[in-house]
Amino acid sequence: MSSSKKLSNQHKNSELQAEIGKFIAYNKDEFAELVTFVDFAEKFTLGFIEINFTPDIDLLIAGLQQNPQCEEIQFVVLDFPEKNLRFLRDELVQQLAKITKETNKKLVLLIRNLEKSIGVFGDYPPVLQDLNFVRDSYRQSVPHPLLFILPDYAISRLAKFAPDFWAWKSGLFRFKTTELTRDRAIANTLNADTNIERLPTPEQQERIDLLHSLLMEYNPTGEIPSLEHLRNCCNILNELGKAYLSQNKPIQAREYLEKAGKIAKQFPDYSLEIEVINQLGKSYSNPNPNVRKY
């Protein structure tokens, strides 16, 4: 490897370590509680970690792996990005069979990306129905500490649609988003010049995911947003409406645009309200092709 590449790699690693340090420092108390939880958890123990942005998940996992108190813990990250996933326990059992356990280390499973199958809309996602139904079998088939890393809305849906499984939780750890991560998300969504309709489908979905994460930041589940956050909420809701319209999902778009419209009425200028009304008009002129007309 050339010296320039080595220097470049060292610089990137240095920047990464700095971001990990900032994230952990920003969530000092929560991180300490999580480390204690992991240290004392034995056999099947259920915990939930609330993180709204994917980059922060990477920082957290790296922080746990590097923490001196976790030297005797083997963290295994299991990724479940399949939108149509239903039988999570079966998938976990299959993955467990493939894991090579390190000697004299406790195995702790970190579950990520399950929000893809939990979804944002609709009642009783199949994955949560099954999670609730087969709850009792987890003690025998997954005899290890299990931590689900999910955004705000996914945790709320899990608690609502899999209440028996949720009742078994021994810990809930809510991590705050750093200003750097939030600013990056805003730059890629609210301040982006690119029309979402011109983006390839994967990039459209990435922007939608970022918008949902931002919405959770400015309007957490069960809380009323502050006045200073209301305009951001309105902008995010409007952008979500436009994003779902670009995917030919007018019913989902309308859900967000109607919320944006109610908030926009509170502002003295009418520019945002007019834009929301225009988008709402598009949602009604573009009916969902899956809805039968009578």
Side-chain angles (χ1 to χ4, degrees):
M1 185 184 291
S2 67
S3 58
S4 61
K5 286 185 177 179
K6 286 182 180 178
L7 287 172
S8 176
N9 288 339
Q10 289 174 358
H11 179 68
K12 288 179 181 177
N13 185 59
S14 177
E15 286 184 337
L16 175 60
Q17 292 303 318
E19 285 200 45
I20 293 170
K22 288 178 182 177
F23 178 75
I24 292 174
Y26 194 59
N27 292 280
K28 181 179 178 182
D29 293 340
E30 206 72 5
F31 185 78
E33 289 182 19
L34 176 59
V35 169
T36 301
F37 174 89
V38 168
D39 187 27
F40 283 94
E42 296 292 343
K43 298 182 179 179
F44 175 76
T45 310
L46 183 62
F48 292 89
I49 300 172
E50 182 184 300
I51 295 182
N52 287 328
F53 290 92
T54 299
D56 287 347
I57 296 175
D58 297 329
L59 297 178
L60 173 65
I61 292 172
L64 286 171
Q65 292 170 333
Q66 296 174 13
N67 189 275
Q69 291 179 249
C70 299
E71 288 181 352
E72 296 182 359
I73 296 172
Q74 178 186 353
F75 291 103
V76 174
V77 181
L78 299 178
D79 200 9
F80 296 100
E82 175 56 51
K83 287 185 178 181
N84 296 319
L85 175 68
R86 177 164 188 168
F87 304 111
L88 176 63
R89 190 197 68 89
D90 294 350
E91 294 289 335
L92 278 173
V93 170
Q94 290 181 24
Q95 293 291 336
L96 274 172
K98 300 175 184 177
I99 295 170
T100 301
K101 196 172 183 307
E102 296 178 25
T103 307
N104 298 324
K105 284 195 174 185
K106 178 170 64 178
L107 188 65
V108 174
L109 305 177
L110 303 174
I111 309 299
R112 63 182 297 178
N113 266 327
L114 196 66
E115 66 271 16
K116 306 294 185 184
S117 54
I118 291 174
V120 180
F121 304 102
D123 292 341
Y124 296 103
V127 68
L128 296 186
Q129 288 186 53
D130 186 70
L131 192 67
N132 211 47
F133 184 72
V134 301
R135 179 190 75 158
D136 294 339
S137 65
Y138 270 79
R139 290 193 186 277
Q140 290 75 37
S141 55
V142 189
H144 306 284
L146 192 61
L147 283 161
F148 287 77
I149 307 176
L150 293 166
D152 176 316
Y153 71 85
I155 286 181
S156 297
R157 282 172 64 79
L158 191 150
K160 179 179 180 180
F161 296 119
D164 294 341
F165 189 81
W166 172 256
W168 270 4
K169 71 181 183 301
S170 299
L172 173 60
F173 309 94
R174 290 191 164 99
F175 283 80
K176 296 179 292 185
T177 304
T178 62
E179 187 175 346
L180 177 62
T181 299
R182 191 184 296 114
D183 288 347
R184 285 174 178 170
I186 291 173
N188 289 330
T189 53
L190 301 185
N191 297 339
D193 295 328
T194 307
N195 188 330
I196 192 168
E197 294 180 1
R198 299 175 183 172
L199 293 175
T201 300
E203 291 183 31
Q204 284 185 358
Q205 190 57 51
E206 183 179 344
R207 183 179 288 190
I208 288 173
D209 291 343
L210 279 174
L211 286 166
H212 277 296
S213 296
L214 276 171
L215 186 60
M216 293 301 99
E217 286 294 307
Y218 292 108
N219 186 17
T221 300
E223 296 183 20
I224 299 174
S226 63
L227 286 174
E228 61 180 321
H229 288 166
L230 270 180
R231 183 172 284 275
N232 277 327
C233 283
C234 192
N235 283 323
I236 294 166
L237 290 164
N238 184 50
E239 288 298 319
L240 276 168
K242 288 160 61 176
Y244 281 113
L245 279 176
S246 73
Q247 293 191 335
N248 198 29
K249 297 177 180 177
I251 293 177
Q252 288 92 328
R254 213 170 294 147
E255 177 178 333
Y256 294 102
L257 291 169
E258 287 174 352
K259 291 178 182 177
K262 290 178 181 178
I263 297 175
K265 294 180 185 296
Q266 302 180 46
F267 302 129
D269 63 284
Y270 298 106
S271 57
L272 184 53
E273 185 178 2
I274 290 170
E275 182 179 349
V276 172
I277 290 171
N278 286 335
Q279 296 301 324
L280 263 173
K282 290 180 183 179
S283 77
Y284 282 102
S285 63
N286 178 25
N288 190 325
N290 296 321
V291 176
R292 184 180 299 173
K293 293 182 180 179
Y294 293 94

